[in-house]
Amino acid sequence: MDNQLERLGLRFNPFEPAASGAPLGLELWVPERWRTQMHELLNTLESGQGVKALAIQGEYGSGKTYLLRWLEFVELPFRRIRPYFFDNPGVQFYDLANRLLRQVGRYEFAKMLWEYLSPELPGFQMTLFEQGLIPWLRSVKKFKRQDDARSVMAKAIMKRDIASDEEIAHKLAQIVVGTLDQPYFEYRDFVAGRRGAVVAEKEEPPYFTAIIRILKKAGHSTAIAFLVDEFEEISLQKRLTRRQAYDYLATMKRLINVARDEDFWLIVSMIPEAAEKIQQLEASLWDRFTSQGTYEFRIPPLNGEEATELVRWRLREARLPGEEPPTPDFPFPEELASILRPTTISLPRRLVKVAFYAIAEAQQKPDMTVPFTLEFLRQIEERVYPAPEAEGEEASL
Amino acid sequence: MLPAWDGSYRERWLLSAAVGNAAWVQVIEVGIDWLTAELWGIDDSRIVGDSVELGRVAVMSDEIQVMEGSLQTASDPQALSREQHLWMRGHYSFAELRELVTLLKEYPQGLRPMELNRIVYELELIRTQKGNKPSPTTLYHYRRALLKLGIVKRQGRNLVIASDDALVAALVDYLTEGPGLSPEERHIFAEVVLRNVECRQNFFDLFMPNDGLYDRAEFMTKGAPVIWQASRERKGRRVVFSRMDGEIIRQIGTAVEIQAILYGLRHWARDDLLLIDELFREDIGNLMFPIREPGSAPDATIKQAILGEISPENEWTVLSVQDLIYKWGVGLRVPVAQVFNTIAQIYRKHPDKVALIATSRSLATLTTASGFREDFELRNYLQDERGRYISHIRLHQHLREDTNG
């Protein structure tokens, strides 16, 4: 073990320099104020039927991704809601299907659907000992019964009320039957109209509804949730035309519309500017996200107590076993929240970064005084987040 | 003699001309506004000089005479005269016009247009925004603007400063050197533009409650905001000017109108004369609003207005920068840049209690169709020292007390 870290009462540095998203290997913690507000929102939404849309707003570094990950790993599974995380849903509707199904994986999706439908499917010369999707597919292929397999599977899909459209049922059946030869998805599989495409042409809403039903029914969950992070990063490189921008927003709106009869959650996180742009460009979408402002969550900046609690939580995860630190904040001073600037402690990313560099620098300096001094922490803060120059006020920032 | 013009404003023209003793026929690819202006702007339809550029064709001769009747081939000749009053262009600045006035001041007898051009080239008096020497067409537009604004007048074939005009005489007294206009030069140019009936009718009257005469001070204090929105229609581009309550004031659509009003007068008023400023909001469109003389509204007033937005109930208040410039820029009639500077000052003084909230550049320019438009829309965002575009600011509740203290 690193002697310097041991001197600080730690096994490892529990803060990360990038401070982006959720930390690895640590139990996720959110401030009580966030947790209470989120619980109230989720409880209210959960009590209703149909689609539930929720927008989380916060500036960069305020903990949006972290909160989504907390929902994904902690809160939603607890409510038996199956979450799928997206960092960018794409401009077109089928981009979303592409990202979703690739996330699930073709084999997993096919297996899930096949198992759900298997009571309805004939054997196609299945052997006595080999059971499961792959032996079934091998058997289908061996006896050149792919067309028959697609057909019976499509009928089973319709019978089980996953889809009522024949084309959609056949496309979904194709995903299963084609898995033996191509056990993965390609982007072109989601380009409607192409040979071998697994999506139905101009039937995006019912197609998507069918996918959500499969994920829900075959996954034995009460609902499906899409968590969309960085909603604002619509086009990282290229410029969108006004029409493409509307397409993007329309994708979101249609997603909400198509799933209105399903137990489907759509939770998006965005910066305040994105919320305003949506309101200006597509007010009806914003209404769907927030139910006219009733259900939106604006991540509140951390206060002093919450900032202290965040630091303590991380430190606790990295404490040396069986050793009691002099104070819960050690090696930080107890008045940490009053030493750092309010702007630093209000943002989790800033706070975590400053804490990381403080510990990292202390590791390099064996003669460093612990707990850390006010001067040292302010020096680190100034280095990581320098205050603007006070002079030259007429110039631009 | 000439084939009929099909009515388009950007056409290939067959111009028949006599050069000296030789007959000369040339196809000219040129915007009709430029060609007619060039020909009609000079007495007896002659272009005189030793180097004349017609569209993409440069003709070296002593004299080029347009054969009589050649312009009558236009299918809608009235259209040409209808747009004669749209001579304003935005690709030159008043600082460059000032250079020409300074040059003409040294020649009390005046200069012939081509002599003026020659001296401009020899002394490299003027450079375009891209750093190139101006084309003869651009210089023609400079001369025409000076003539139309009454700063320069014709004396025979020469151009001379209209010193008998009190405003022009004052301008000549105040002439300075340097990259931009001095405040005095800017004020006089603004008065000259505002007294010009074509400039008023085409643009500045849009802001005023009635069509009477007004000077710069009256325009700045009584002018109301105007919204413009552009759209593409089957017949071409259309730009609609409207009031804040939605009442449509004017619609324009021809290439010449758009050149003269949207990119001419608007740019003059916004960038050179500082009579208006402009912001963009997705829900409103492009909002132009008259502004007071820069610096006349103290930063303290803007600062108090911004700090007055802080909620006493919450530890932090998040404010939209676009809302602030919309509310206080338009409300106090101050330039967007001044609101930004005030925010910057507050931030520099209290970095511990002011957080700048950045936006994604791709989101900020979500619906722009060109780089030019992208730059325009990004004007609505405060840029910090790291080059980030700031869409919101977060202010601590103690900031008001600290500032008062």
Side-chain angles (χ1 to χ4, degrees):
Chain A
M1 180 170 302
D2 187 331
N3 284 336
Q4 297 311 322
L5 269 174
E6 208 170 323
R7 193 171 65 95
L8 303 175
L10 299 170
R11 289 182 292 128
F12 57 90
N13 187 341
F15 304 96
E16 60 278 357
S20 179
L24 279 174
L26 299 184
E27 195 179 331
L28 298 184
W29 168 87
V30 295
E32 192 55 39
R33 197 160 46 125
W34 299 15
R35 186 192 300 263
T36 309
Q37 284 184 43
M38 279 307 289
H39 278 167
E40 283 173 11
L41 274 175
L42 296 175
N43 290 342
T44 311
L45 290 170
E46 200 174 18
S47 62
Q49 290 295 309
V51 66
K52 288 101 177 170
L54 175 67
I56 295 172
Q57 280 185 62
E59 61 198 271
Y60 290 124
S62 62
K64 296 186 297 296
T65 306
Y66 185 96
L67 189 61
L68 283 183
R69 291 294 187 189
W70 175 77
L71 287 169
E72 181 189 11
F73 296 129
V74 180
E75 194 57 33
L76 295 179
F78 177 75
R79 293 170 188 261
R80 291 195 56 227
I81 298 168
R82 184 179 289 266
Y84 293 95
F85 189 94
F86 301 88
D87 57 2
N88 189 335
V91 176
Q92 296 298 324
F93 208 75
Y94 278 139
D95 290 344
L96 191 58
N98 172 29
R99 283 159 203 266
L100 172 65
L101 289 182
R102 288 171 88 125
Q103 198 175 130
V104 178
R106 183 165 186 163
Y107 173 76
E108 287 302 320
F109 184 80
K111 186 164 175 281
M112 192 187 288
L113 182 57
W114 179 81
E115 283 176 352
Y116 181 64
L117 299 176
S118 56
E120 315 283 341
L121 304 177
F124 292 111
Q125 305 287 335
M126 264 198 334
T127 65
L128 187 60
F129 303 106
E130 283 190 296
Q131 291 193 347
L133 174 65
I134 295 300
W136 185 82
L137 288 173
R138 281 201 190 112
S139 168
V140 165
K141 190 176 180 185
K142 183 177 176 186
F143 296 100
K144 296 184 179 169
R145 302 281 301 277
Q146 286 95 335
D147 288 345
D148 293 337
R150 258 191 300 270
S151 178
V152 293
M153 190 162 260
K155 279 181 189 155
I157 286 170
M158 292 201 281
K159 189 177 173 188
R160 288 282 183 117
D161 200 25
I162 290 172
S164 54
D165 182 274
E166 283 188 350
E167 185 190 0
I168 293 172
H170 269 88
K171 294 289 181 186
L172 293 173
Q174 174 57 29
I175 291 179
V176 180
V177 175
T179 297
L180 189 65
D181 293 329
Q182 188 197 311
Y184 52 87
F185 286 118
E186 291 179 306
Y187 178 76
R188 62 181 181 179
D189 295 336
F190 296 89
V191 179
R194 285 184 71 115
R195 186 179 167 82
V198 296
V199 292
E201 198 158 8
K202 294 185 179 171
E203 289 295 336
E204 292 94 336
Y207 180 85
F208 223 84
T209 306
I211 298 233
I212 290 169
R213 281 183 189 159
I214 292 167
L215 293 175
K216 197 176 95 175
K217 288 183 176 181
H220 304 295
S221 50
T222 57
I224 297 294
F226 284 6
L227 308 172
V228 179
D229 195 16
E230 298 192 347
F231 186 82
E232 67 275 4
E233 291 302 340
I234 293 171
S235 142
L236 290 172
Q237 299 297 326
K238 71 184 176 77
R239 187 180 291 130
L240 295 187
T241 62
R242 183 169 278 264
R243 177 170 180 168
Q244 284 172 317
Y246 280 116
D247 277 353
Y248 178 78
L249 299 176
T251 297
M252 285 292 146
K253 199 161 82 174
R254 288 173 75 191
L255 188 58
I256 295 173
N257 289 347
V258 301
R260 62 183 176 273
D261 298 329
E262 307 300 319
D263 272 327
F264 173 67
W265 294 66
L266 178 63
I267 303 176
V268 299
S269 78
M270 62 184 81
I271 53 175
E273 161 90 331
E276 285 177 9
K277 281 264 180 191
I278 295 171
Q279 286 177 68
Q280 291 167 359
L281 284 169
E282 191 65 270
S284 59
L285 173 61
W286 187 247
D287 272 356
R288 284 168 170 82
F289 271 133
T290 65
S291 296
Q292 295 171 338
T294 316
Y295 303 118
E296 63 179 313
F297 183 72
R298 294 182 190 202
I299 296 182
L302 296 181
N303 58 33
E305 279 175 30
E306 290 163 344
T308 306
E309 191 53 35
L310 187 156
V311 172
R312 280 183 190 168
W313 182 273
R314 292 285 189 103
L315 291 170
R316 209 153 40 223
E317 296 282 309
R319 289 289 178 211
L320 293 165
E323 286 196 21
E324 193 63 31
T327 65
D329 303 309
F330 187 82
F332 293 93
E334 285 184 90
E335 64 278 18
L336 174 68
S338 59
I339 291 172
L340 301 178
R341 294 181 206 133
T343 44
T344 301
I345 64 157
S346 64
L347 284 183
R349 179 177 296 162
R350 285 189 169 217
L351 182 61
V352 167
K353 265 191 167 182
V354 170
F356 167 82
Y357 284 108
I359 291 180
E361 189 150 327
Q363 273 182 273
Q364 309 301 320
K365 295 180 178 171
D367 51 348
M368 163 94 50
T369 313
V370 282
F372 302 140
T373 61
L374 177 149
E375 292 75 24
F376 170 68
L377 287 169
R378 289 206 171 143
Q379 195 187 349
I380 294 281
E381 183 185 34
E382 181 59 27
R383 201 182 313 148
V384 181
Y385 293 107
E389 296 287 334
E391 59 273 347
E393 292 190 345
E394 296 309 312
S396 70
L397 277 177
Chain B
M1 182 176 60
L2 295 175
W5 178 43
D6 73 353
S8 164
Y9 283 92
R10 293 237 168 237
E11 273 295 313
R12 290 163 71 89
W13 271 60
L14 188 63
L15 181 70
S16 189
V19 182
N21 293 326
W24 174 74
V25 177
Q26 179 66 52
V27 174
I28 298 175
E29 292 178 308
V30 63
I32 184 64
D33 63 310
W34 179 84
L35 179 63
T36 53
E38 188 76 19
L39 297 177
W40 289 20
I42 297 173
D43 293 342
D44 65 14
S45 298
R46 281 167 181 236
I47 299 172
V48 180
D50 52 6
S51 171
V52 179
E53 187 184 82
L54 291 177
R56 294 177 186 170
V57 184
V59 181
M60 305 294 288
S61 75
D62 291 325
E63 187 175 60
I64 299 171
Q65 184 177 4
V66 177
M67 288 175 72
E68 198 178 342
S70 62
L71 288 173
Q72 299 304 313
T73 55
S75 60
D76 182 14
Q78 285 77 25
L80 306 180
S81 56
R82 271 207 304 270
E83 298 193 329
Q84 281 297 294
H85 62 284
L86 295 167
W87 45 270
M88 312 82 177
R89 295 292 181 273
H91 59 279
Y92 51 88
S93 74
F94 277 78
E96 290 154 1
L97 290 186
R98 190 256 325 263
E99 296 303 320
L100 291 187
V101 176
T102 307
L103 175 64
L104 281 170
K105 185 184 166 189
E106 293 174 21
Y107 294 87
Q109 302 80 19
L111 287 170
R112 288 168 70 170
M114 294 308 144
E115 286 173 342
L116 183 78
N117 283 12
R118 183 175 51 77
I119 297 172
V120 167
Y121 288 137
E122 279 176 8
L123 299 179
E124 297 186 357
L125 270 183
I126 293 173
R127 288 277 165 188
T128 64
Q129 288 171 351
K130 290 179 182 171
N132 304 324
K133 70 171 193 177
S135 69
T137 309
T138 304
L139 288 180
Y140 163 73
H141 282 295
Y142 285 132
R143 295 198 309 272
R144 186 166 62 159
L146 289 171
L147 281 165
K148 291 282 188 181
L149 289 171
I151 298 170
V152 164
K153 63 182 181 181
R154 289 183 188 284
Q155 206 167 68
R157 287 186 165 184
N158 284 4
L159 301 174
V160 296
I161 291 178
S163 308
D164 46 346
D165 184 303
L167 267 178
V168 178
L171 175 68
V172 172
D173 284 346
Y174 278 118
L175 287 175
T176 60
E177 292 177 1
L181 294 177
S182 70
E184 291 79 13
E185 287 168 341
R186 181 162 46 77
H187 293 173
I188 297 171
F189 273 126
E191 296 287 8
V192 166
V193 168
L194 284 172
R195 77 178 178 182
N196 182 282
V197 68
E198 291 164 340
C199 293
R200 277 207 317 274
Q201 284 178 352
N202 281 305
F203 187 72
F204 294 100
D205 283 355
L206 300 174
F207 296 83
M208 298 305 284
N210 52 54
D211 295 343
L213 285 173
Y214 44 86
D215 61 8
R216 178 175 156 273
E218 205 173 349
F219 178 83
M220 287 174 152
T221 51
K222 292 189 179 165
V226 171
I227 295 163
W228 68 269
Q229 282 173 309
S231 60
R232 290 218 171 267
E233 296 178 358
R234 208 152 46 99
K235 287 181 182 173
R237 200 171 170 201
R238 177 143 297 275
V239 177
V240 176
F241 295 93
S242 57
R243 297 194 198 287
M244 292 290 281
D245 61 8
E247 183 198 346
I248 292 176
I249 318 169
R250 187 169 181 194
Q251 297 188 51
I252 58 174
T254 68
V256 181
E257 284 176 327
I258 288 172
Q259 274 288 324
I261 299 172
L262 200 64
Y263 299 118
L265 286 163
R266 176 173 138 258
H267 281 195
W268 287 2
R270 190 189 71 192
D271 302 335
D272 278 357
L273 306 177
L274 307 186
L275 290 168
I276 63 167
D277 205 352
E278 196 169 17
L279 55 88
F280 171 77
R281 286 174 67 104
E282 293 280 0
D283 53 344
I284 295 175
N286 310 283
L287 181 78
M288 301 179 287
F289 58 99
I291 52 171
R292 292 194 275 180
E293 177 63 20
S296 64
D299 289 346
T301 311
I302 307 167
K303 192 170 165 184
Q304 282 311 313
I306 293 171
L307 296 178
E309 305 270 346
I310 296 175
S311 158
E313 284 131 36
N314 301 316
E315 188 180 2
W316 293 94
T317 304
V318 176
L319 300 173
S320 156
V321 167
Q322 288 201 21
D323 285 349
L324 286 177
I325 58 173
Y326 178 58
K327 189 171 177 184
W328 298 115
V330 179
L332 296 172
R333 294 174 184 266
V334 295
V336 169
Q338 197 179 351
V339 179
F340 284 167
N341 262 336
T342 308
I343 296 172
Q345 284 174 27
I346 301 172
Y347 173 61
R348 281 203 199 91
K349 203 164 178 189
H350 305 278
D352 54 334
K353 295 187 178 66
V354 179
L356 303 179
I357 303 177
T359 185
S360 144
R361 189 189 161 112
S362 64
L363 185 81
T365 55
L366 181 63
T367 54
T368 56
S370 65
F372 182 73
R373 182 70 199 178
E374 195 170 300
D375 291 341
F376 174 70
E377 292 193 11
L378 287 172
R379 280 165 44 102
N380 294 313
Y381 296 89
L382 176 70
Q383 224 178 342
D384 72 0
E385 75 278 9
R386 288 191 277 158
R388 301 179 309 163
Y389 291 95
I390 306 302
S391 66
H392 291 72
I393 53 173
R394 185 155 52 83
L395 306 177
H396 197 273
Q397 61 181 3
H398 292 161
L399 186 63
R400 204 150 42 165
E401 299 146 31
D402 286 8
T403 314
N404 291 336

